[in-house]
Amino acid sequence: MLTKTLETIPSALPLIKIPDGHGRNLYDTDRDLPGLLRLYLSAAEAEHFLPHLRRLGKVAGERLDDLAMLADKYTPQLSTRTRAGEEQDEIYKHPAYVELERWAFSEFGLAAASHVPGVLGWHEPLPPVVKYTLFYLFSQTEFGLTCPVNMTDSLSRTLKKYGSQALIDAYLPKLTSLDFDDLFQGAMFMTEQGAGSDIARTETQALRHGDSWLLYGDKWFCSNADAEVAMVLARHEGAPEGMAGVSLFLLPRTLSDGSRNHYRILRLKDKLGTRSMPSGEIRFDGAEAYLVGELGRGFQQMAEMVNSSRLSNGVRSGALMRRSLTEALYVAHNRRAFGKLLHELPLMRRQLDKMELLTEQARSFGYQVARQLQLADQQDERAAALVRLLTPIIKFRSCRDARKVAGDAMEVRGGCGYIEEWVEARLVRDSHLGSIWEGTSNIVALDVYRACRKVAALDAYESHFGELLDAAGDGASQRLRPLLATTIRLAQDNIDRDAQENAREVCSLLYHMATAIIFAWEASHETLAHRAKLLDAVVTHRLDPLVSRLARG
């Protein structure tokens, strides 16, 4: 009887494959990316860079994705002593992470791109739109490493602006090198356990020692903990209390005589996300460092590095959304349920549309900031004020939206999305860091108020987006100009009253108004006319409800 029963069981049940899009070119899967790049770049720039960006999309979807999975699983390890008992503070990084470093720092020159000619064969430093598109593609597969890459880039920018010529000559060539075996990586050691975002409470001490300074104290969260060079905030001897007593210092890992500087990596953090990249706690015990800029203006000078990191953070969070959406679309178009493909189901279409809107808002907003950054670097005052405002806005909104989009993408894949063998679990973990790095949501929302008070940023906003609206055509202008005027009025009223309880809503209002105008301008170009649907969605579902809520007080 048992034998007969076994004979009726099929020898192999049909395999229902889980949609697996691994290996796709992340440039090619992004329908609007080539058209947007041709809009935001000159013809010569587009002709030169699009093949390089497509190449990065290819390796990001294949080799880099495999490496990122390994680097996330086999995390950095700290060895504090040799087998003979000598202190050493060496961080072991998995070979997969080291190879990722080579691709980022050397092959694609992500850290050097803004500072030296020659990256990707270009005759001058890369246009910001190109640089941030490189970050956008790379971050879709490896988010953790782009923190050290960005800190190296931002440190170089700060050093060039505020450092002495001697410091620039000594360190900038290494920080911007494309030779992987020769280059220096950068870091930013700012956070202390008792201070957090309140930099005025910094306790690390700096004592003058001839031409240098000696640092004493602890830093609580130091990403890229073994970087060759770091910017450090410390309180100089005899300094007053508060922010006026905080100065900025350049800290080398290795001293001029080849010996290790006097600080220790106490331990590495066991983090929720960005596991591939070593973050640690550091104790200074007379570590030699060099003053950068003026005494007592440390935070104002460090803000250059922080703001650059915030912009990068917003763009990279947009990249996490893009990868999440790409995976969700692939699943929805290749899996059946209830007799239909998932994307044919009304609720799934609605969910995908919501994900797409948030993703495209972050990308287009980021491109606008990148273009203004290029003008600001050419001493355009309006552009500088605009960058000062738009940077905390994208940091606030893009980083918060990334958590939602990544979570929705996990839901689209279903149970497999909760398994670490698939990328969705890592995207969800990594997405939560964006709203913490370089200032939490409350901190950056309030920074929008400060920007509007200090540099007439709201005037720059109204002027720039008014011009963009004019360029979008009469139809868009008639529809959106009253909303722009209302947005400015509501924002100014809350700022004048210092209505801190509304700072998040004001930040979101400025973001949604800007993206509505940007979508209108993009859609006015024939090849991107379909982006008008994004304009309709942001006005109907984001802008109008927020205006009504703020208008009610």
Side-chain angles (χ1 to χ4, degrees):
M1 186 70 175
L2 179 61
T3 303
K4 291 184 95 177
T5 301
L6 290 173
E7 288 173 353
T8 65
I9 299 175
S11 58
L13 295 173
L15 178 64
I16 301 176
K17 293 188 67 175
I18 298 170
D20 187 351
H22 176 71
R24 290 170 301 153
N25 187 315
L26 297 180
Y27 177 91
D28 290 342
T29 59
D30 192 340
R31 177 185 67 166
D32 280 0
L33 182 55
L36 287 170
L37 288 170
R38 289 189 174 90
L39 177 60
Y40 281 95
L41 297 174
S42 70
E45 290 167 344
E47 182 180 3
H48 181 87
F49 288 113
L50 263 57
H52 290 287
L53 294 169
R54 189 169 188 274
R55 175 173 173 254
L56 176 53
K58 184 176 189 301
V59 295
E62 297 173 346
R63 179 61 180 168
L64 302 189
D65 211 35
D66 292 334
L67 294 171
M69 189 70 74
L70 287 171
D72 181 74
K73 184 176 182 179
Y74 299 104
T75 57
Q77 302 296 314
L78 173 65
S79 174
T80 57
R81 292 193 173 192
T82 68
R83 63 182 181 181
E86 299 168 319
E87 292 186 358
Q88 63 171 5
D89 283 357
E90 292 290 342
I91 296 178
Y92 170 78
K93 302 170 184 175
H94 191 272
Y97 184 83
V98 176
E99 186 176 339
L100 284 166
E101 288 180 308
R102 286 185 178 273
W103 280 101
F105 283 98
S106 186
E107 185 70 22
F108 286 101
L110 290 173
S114 296
H115 308 288
V116 295
V119 175
L120 300 181
W122 193 241
H123 59 280
E124 58 186 4
L126 297 193
V129 168
V130 174
K131 184 187 87 167
Y132 285 111
T133 304
L134 290 168
F135 269 89
Y136 191 74
L137 289 166
F138 196 97
S139 299
Q140 288 183 48
T141 190
E142 169 52 37
F143 187 73
L145 174 58
T146 51
C147 171
V149 170
N150 173 70
M151 286 195 296
T152 306
D153 171 26
S154 300
L155 188 151
S156 299
R157 185 180 181 90
T158 304
L159 179 62
K160 286 194 299 183
K161 186 167 183 176
Y162 297 110
S164 67
Q165 193 58 50
L167 284 180
I168 293 172
D169 293 342
Y171 292 103
L172 190 62
K174 292 277 192 179
L175 289 163
T176 57
S177 174
L178 297 177
D179 182 344
F180 185 74
D181 297 321
D182 183 59
L183 65 85
F184 279 3
Q185 293 189 32
M188 174 171 54
F189 300 163
M190 184 167 63
T191 306
E192 296 184 7
Q193 187 177 17
S197 298
D198 189 357
I199 301 302
R201 296 176 61 192
T202 295
E203 294 183 354
T204 298
Q205 295 293 309
L207 306 181
R208 194 183 294 275
H209 181 69
D211 293 333
S212 62
W213 295 73
L214 301 181
L215 304 183
Y216 295 87
D218 287 9
K219 293 293 183 181
W220 179 244
F221 208 107
C222 303
S223 290
N224 208 21
D226 62 342
E228 287 84 0
V229 186
M231 289 287 189
V232 181
L233 289 177
R235 189 170 295 282
H236 58 276
E237 56 183 331
E241 294 184 1
M243 200 74 81
V246 178
S247 298
L248 182 62
F249 298 88
L250 186 75
L251 173 81
R253 180 91 169 122
T254 304
L255 299 175
S256 57
D257 63 3
S259 63
R260 183 62 56 85
N261 206 347
H262 302 292
Y263 66 90
R264 294 182 55 208
I265 304 171
L266 300 179
R267 66 168 178 164
L268 297 184
K269 301 289 194 181
D270 186 8
K271 297 176 292 183
L272 171 69
T274 62
R275 294 175 177 173
S276 62
M277 180 267 297
S279 300
E281 299 166 22
I282 287 178
R283 174 166 294 164
F284 305 119
D285 188 19
E288 186 172 320
Y290 305 96
L291 180 67
V292 176
E294 301 176 39
L295 277 176
R297 291 191 56 79
F299 181 73
Q300 291 87 340
Q301 294 162 175
M302 175 71 94
E304 186 80 21
M305 191 170 180
V306 170
N307 285 333
S308 180
S309 294
R310 284 178 175 176
L311 174 54
S312 174
N313 202 346
V315 170
R316 287 179 283 144
S317 291
L320 292 182
M321 286 191 265
R322 181 70 244 177
R323 180 64 187 277
S324 299
L325 177 62
T326 296
E327 294 298 322
L329 288 170
Y330 188 83
V331 172
H333 282 80
N334 289 277
R335 182 153 194 169
R336 290 185 174 275
F338 312 109
K340 293 184 178 181
L341 289 170
L342 294 186
H343 77 94
E344 296 173 332
L345 302 172
L347 280 176
M348 179 58 72
R349 286 201 304 271
R350 184 181 180 189
Q351 185 170 346
L352 293 170
D353 286 346
K354 288 182 177 181
M355 294 168 67
E356 181 187 24
L357 176 60
L358 300 182
T359 300
E360 294 297 342
Q361 281 185 283
R363 193 218 325 251
S364 288
F365 196 97
Y367 276 161
Q368 284 291 321
V369 186
R371 291 184 77 177
Q372 293 303 305
L373 180 63
Q374 189 166 16
L375 294 173
D377 286 343
Q378 297 166 3
Q379 310 307 311
D380 185 313
E381 291 185 5
R382 188 187 79 168
L386 199 55
V387 169
R388 176 65 183 86
L389 173 63
L390 299 185
T391 297
I393 290 177
I394 191 174
K395 165 67 168 66
F396 172 81
R397 194 66 268 163
S398 176
C399 295
R400 294 184 66 80
D401 289 344
R403 304 199 307 245
K404 175 174 175 50
V405 174
D408 281 358
M410 174 182 281
E411 187 176 310
V412 171
R413 190 174 286 281
C416 287
Y418 199 67
I419 306 301
E420 293 287 354
E421 293 171 316
W422 298 87
V423 73
E424 284 85 358
R426 177 157 50 93
L427 291 170
V428 168
R429 289 190 281 104
D430 287 351
S431 69
H432 280 263
L433 184 55
S435 293
I436 300 173
W437 259 348
E438 326 302 359
T440 60
S441 298
N442 289 345
I443 294 293
V444 292
L446 291 172
D447 194 39
V448 168
Y449 279 22
R450 283 191 292 273
C452 292
R453 292 190 183 110
K454 289 185 176 182
V455 294
L458 208 54
D459 291 340
Y461 177 100
E462 184 175 22
S463 172
H464 170 72
F465 288 106
E467 290 175 4
L468 209 61
L469 196 51
D470 289 339
D474 291 341
S477 183
Q478 290 174 9
R479 179 184 184 186
L480 295 179
R481 194 164 293 282
L483 271 173
L484 176 59
T486 300
T487 293
I488 298 299
R489 177 176 56 79
L490 289 171
Q492 190 66 65
D493 174 65
N494 280 276
I495 293 165
D496 290 344
R497 293 187 294 109
D498 195 27
Q500 295 188 17
E501 68 278 9
N502 292 336
R504 285 174 177 246
E505 285 79 5
V506 170
C507 193
S508 294
L509 176 67
L510 292 169
Y511 182 79
H512 295 317
M513 185 71 253
T515 55
I517 293 173
I518 296 166
F519 289 149
W521 175 72
E522 290 172 349
S524 69
H525 297 79
E526 185 177 354
T527 58
L528 296 169
H530 58 277
R531 291 178 73 81
K533 72 169 188 176
L534 298 170
L535 161 61
D536 294 336
V538 74
V539 170
T540 302
H541 299 294
R542 296 287 183 269
L543 193 54
D544 283 345
L546 194 52
V547 166
S548 297
R549 188 156 67 249
L550 280 169
R552 290 194 304 267

